């Protein structure tokens, strides 16, 4: 299959070629012709499948072929996160570099006035997160009455993040006659309800779920004493000479602390999470992408939708307590056909989470012990015991209005042990000794 057969005009084909894409991805091959026909589309595709180009290329062509009646935007793309919004606009710029259409992006966390100025000057394509878009609508600084094409990108994430009411309010501001494209990685009852009310006679396009990234990505678990995680991470980064590592922590505070600690170990690191200003997040991501920092420490929310080309290493410094997040995390690597590795540092208390993850991905993840790190030292063990007792007290203390999700399952000492590794092999050139095994069931 070649891009030339999809009905795209020369200016767009040139832009695609200069990106070095040889052939369309499955979602592109299937979506581009039907979007060009003006059909509504329900696309089942995750980040990493090439879905951004799948809707952006035909959208650019359609708008380029029609006359703008005013300065108001003619296409609206709604996305769950600021980062994703910024990335989509970047793609629009890239693919639209040979045609004269204007685009802008609006999201919260940054000043609204520069956005107002840009909207006033006129745009053809507006990329937005729902909350800030409604701010503009309330202030009367955006006119959505000329929208001809609406895209809901990562619609399932938007629903997860509680944007359904915002989306419904936005829909009321749009003209009835328009083309609608909805992309979602999962197809839940909620998505079905949303798409039933939104799409007219849609073409349904489904491409392989990104869960298959779990096959592209080499996954490994290093059992580790709880207090040895930081030392093990530094050891792995240095010994294996990892140059670009995305590390996940469960909390914003943990992300900050780890980035600082790694820096004191001589490893350039920065953190990205929801408490950081938008400009700090943008800078952290840019520094990481450009190779100016070696490690980006992120929380799940901050990492959603991040498109980092050919990311070789993802590390779960802590396992997520929601198993699906593991799949999203490791989906940051092994994308667009490139192999990557996903390393999880797992202490005893996290084993129940690991079981949930393995159940979800229907796979037993390889375990590799790294000599010297897989147990706490005696002193650390004492600290752990104290923390554990404290944790137990908290768990059993009466509490009000707290969800039991996740928290109660991670009881220290709970769960079964790792199987003893079958074979040991000395690694060359490093201090650490590893032993590999598959954990059979
Ligand atoms: P997306 O799913 O839109 O986030 O795209 C994932 C990645 O795939 C991006 O880094 C794109 O630059 C890349 N990409 C998109 N289309 C193609 C293609 N036809 N061939 C190779 N890479 C692509």
């Amino acid at each position: 299959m070649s891009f030339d057969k999809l009905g795209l005009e020369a200016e767009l084909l040139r832009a695609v070629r200069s990106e070095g894409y040889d052939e369309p991805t499955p979602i592109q091959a299937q979506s581009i012709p039907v979007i060009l026909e003006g059909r509504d589309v329900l696309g089942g595709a995750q980040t990493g499948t090439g879905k951004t180009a799948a809707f952006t290329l035909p959208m650019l062509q359609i708008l380029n072929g029609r006359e703008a009646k005013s300065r108001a935007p003619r296409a609206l793309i709604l996305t769950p996160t600021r980062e994703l919004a910024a990335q989509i606009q970047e793609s629009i710029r890239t693919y639209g570099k040979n045609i004269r259409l204007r685009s802008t992006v609006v999201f919260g966390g940054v000043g609204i006035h520069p956005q107002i100025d840009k909207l006033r000057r006129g745009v053809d394509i507006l990329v937005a997160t729902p909350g800030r878009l409604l701010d503009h609508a309330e202030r009367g600084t955006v006119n959505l009455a000329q929208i001809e094409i609406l895209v809901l990108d990562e619609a399932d994430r938007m629903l997860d993040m509680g944007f359904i009411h915002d989306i419904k309010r936005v829909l009321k501001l749009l003209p009835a006659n328009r083309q609608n494209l909805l992309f979602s990685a999962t197809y839940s009852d909620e998505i079905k309800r949303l798409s039933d009310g939104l799409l007219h006679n849609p073409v349904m396009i489904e491409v392989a779920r990104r869960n298959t990234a779990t096959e592209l990505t080499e996954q490994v678990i290093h059992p580790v004493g709880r207090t040895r995680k930081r030392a093990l991470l530094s050891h792995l980064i240095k010994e294996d000479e990892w140059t670009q590592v995305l590390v996940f922590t469960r909390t914003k505070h943990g992300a900050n602390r780890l980035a600082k600690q790694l820096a004191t170990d001589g490893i350039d690191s920065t953190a990205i999470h929801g408490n950081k200003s938008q400009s700090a997040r943008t800078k952290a991501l840019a520094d990481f992408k450009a190779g100016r920092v070696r490690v980006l420490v992120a929380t799940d929310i901050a990492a959603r939708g991040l498109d980092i080309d050919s990311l070789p290493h993802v590390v779960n410094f802590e396992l997520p307590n929601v198993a699906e997040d593991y799949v999203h995390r490791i989906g940051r690597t092994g994308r667009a056909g490139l192999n990557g590795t996903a390393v999880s540092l797992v202490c005893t208390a996290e084993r129940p989470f690991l079981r949930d993850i393995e159940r979800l991905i229907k796979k037993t993840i390889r375990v590799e012990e790294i000599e010297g790190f897989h147990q706490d030292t005696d002193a650390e063990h004492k600290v752990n015991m104290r923390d554990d007792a404290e944790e137990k007290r908290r768990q059993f203390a009466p509490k009000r209005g707290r969800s039991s999700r996740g928290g109660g399952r991670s009881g220290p000492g709970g769960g079964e042990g790792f199987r003893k590794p079958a074979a040991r092999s000395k690694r060359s050139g490093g201090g650490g000794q590893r032993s590999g095994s598959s954990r059979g069931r």
Side-chain angles (χ1 to χ4, degrees):
M1 181 45 120
S2 134
F3 270 106
D4 302 354
K5 303 278 185 300
L6 300 178
L8 292 171
E9 282 160 7
E11 294 91 339
L12 294 167
L13 290 175
R14 257 194 291 135
V16 164
R17 232 172 281 130
S18 68
E19 283 304 290
Y21 304 164
D22 296 328
E23 51 179 45
T25 65
I27 188 84
Q28 292 163 0
Q30 294 175 66
S31 306
I32 292 171
V34 291
I35 297 174
L36 286 174
E37 279 173 24
R39 297 284 303 269
D40 280 8
V41 165
L42 174 60
Q46 289 184 315
T47 302
T49 51
K51 69 179 160 62
T52 314
F55 64 76
T56 301
L57 288 165
M59 169 192 289
L60 288 164
Q61 179 154 326
I62 291 170
L63 296 177
N64 197 38
R66 291 180 191 159
E67 192 103 25
K69 295 193 196 84
S70 72
R71 291 178 175 197
R74 297 185 283 150
L76 172 65
I77 301 164
L78 283 183
T79 80
T81 65
R82 302 161 182 183
E83 281 80 8
L84 186 60
Q87 275 163 18
I88 291 174
Q89 204 225 348
E90 201 49 54
S91 298
I92 293 170
R93 284 224 190 99
T94 304
Y95 303 133
K97 65 184 177 190
N98 303 319
I99 56 179
R100 291 169 61 86
L101 288 175
R102 286 163 304 177
S103 63
T104 195
V105 58
V106 302
F107 47 68
V110 294
I112 199 164
H113 292 288
Q115 297 175 354
I116 294 174
D117 284 346
K118 284 198 185 122
L119 288 168
R120 194 178 298 139
R121 271 181 260 137
V123 292
D124 298 290
I125 302 170
L126 176 59
V127 189
T129 52
R132 178 56 68 93
L133 181 65
L134 286 169
D135 272 2
H136 281 286
E138 274 159 20
R139 288 166 182 250
T141 50
V142 69
N143 169 10
L144 298 176
Q146 305 300 323
I147 296 295
E148 298 166 35
I149 303 175
L150 169 72
V151 181
L152 297 188
D153 194 24
E154 305 216 348
D156 50 349
R157 289 238 171 249
M158 285 200 275
L159 299 186
D160 284 351
M161 291 167 80
F163 284 138
I164 184 67
H165 298 296
D166 285 353
I167 291 172
K168 285 187 174 158
R169 284 172 62 200
V170 171
L171 294 178
K172 288 203 184 109
L173 302 171
L174 306 180
N177 192 8
R178 55 169 202 265
Q179 186 176 6
N180 300 291
L181 314 172
L182 186 151
F183 290 88
S184 174
T186 54
Y187 191 63
S188 60
D189 289 347
E190 243 187 322
I191 290 288
K192 185 170 178 341
R193 271 197 297 279
L194 179 65
S195 60
D196 283 351
L198 185 74
L199 306 176
H200 303 286
N201 189 20
V203 180
M204 317 260 275
I205 297 170
E206 165 116 48
V207 298
R209 277 187 54 78
R210 278 292 293 173
N211 278 9
T212 53
T214 57
E215 277 135 44
L216 274 175
T217 304
E218 193 200 331
Q219 300 167 70
V220 64
I221 285 159
H222 295 313
V224 59
R226 196 201 301 172
T227 53
R228 306 286 291 151
K229 286 192 174 188
R230 198 275 308 268
L232 174 56
L233 180 59
S234 291
H235 170 81
L236 291 171
I237 293 171
K238 285 180 179 167
E239 190 192 328
D240 294 349
E241 294 171 5
W242 291 348
T243 51
Q244 201 182 32
V245 196
L246 179 61
V247 179
F248 284 95
T249 60
R250 281 225 293 262
T251 65
K252 298 169 193 173
H253 180 63
N256 270 340
R257 194 178 44 207
L258 181 62
K260 282 197 190 111
Q261 288 171 335
L262 289 173
T264 58
D265 286 348
I267 298 167
D268 286 337
S269 309
T270 189
I272 187 168
H273 55 67
N275 276 3
K276 290 213 157 180
S277 70
Q278 187 55 42
S279 60
R281 286 158 75 172
T282 307
K283 182 176 182 311
L285 183 61
D287 284 347
F288 181 63
K289 279 187 167 185
R292 286 188 290 271
V293 289
R294 203 165 167 188
V295 179
L296 182 65
V297 189
T299 55
D300 289 290
I301 293 277
R304 262 169 205 175
L306 286 190
D307 175 27
I308 303 161
D309 285 338
S310 57
L311 187 60
H313 303 288
V314 167
V315 174
N316 294 304
F317 190 76
E318 287 141 345
L319 283 183
N321 49 10
V322 177
E324 283 79 6
D325 284 344
Y326 176 85
V327 179
H328 290 299
R329 286 179 177 189
I330 75 162
R332 309 287 117 220
T333 178
R335 33 178 50 200
L338 291 155
N339 287 341
T341 64
V343 168
S344 301
L345 311 186
V346 181
C347 66
T348 315
E350 293 174 298
R351 287 175 198 177
F353 299 149
L354 178 58
R355 276 203 304 276
D356 288 349
I357 289 165
E358 292 186 326
R359 210 171 291 136
L360 178 77
I361 65 173
K362 298 189 176 68
K363 192 168 165 175
T364 305
I365 307 171
R366 188 166 62 84
V367 175
E368 197 177 300
E369 281 186 1
I370 312 264
E371 196 62 45
F373 291 99
H374 63 277
Q375 275 173 340
D376 290 318
T377 61
D378 283 351
E380 288 159 353
H381 182 67
K382 272 194 199 128
V383 173
N384 274 347
M385 295 297 280
R386 201 191 54 210
D387 289 354
D388 291 350
E390 177 63 26
E391 177 67 26
K392 263 213 179 89
R393 258 199 304 282
R394 253 185 279 130
Q395 266 179 33
F396 291 106
K399 49 190 167 222
R400 274 175 294 153
R402 267 187 53 188
S403 145
S404 65
R405 184 163 192 192
R409 291 185 300 164
S410 65
E416 58 207 46
F418 295 103
R419 273 259 202 102
K420 262 263 159 273
R424 291 178 163 262
S425 64
K426 184 106 182 158
R427 274 170 59 87
S428 56
Q433 183 181 314
R434 301 176 183 203
S435 54
S437 81
S438 281
R439 249 166 354 120
R441 283 244 165 94

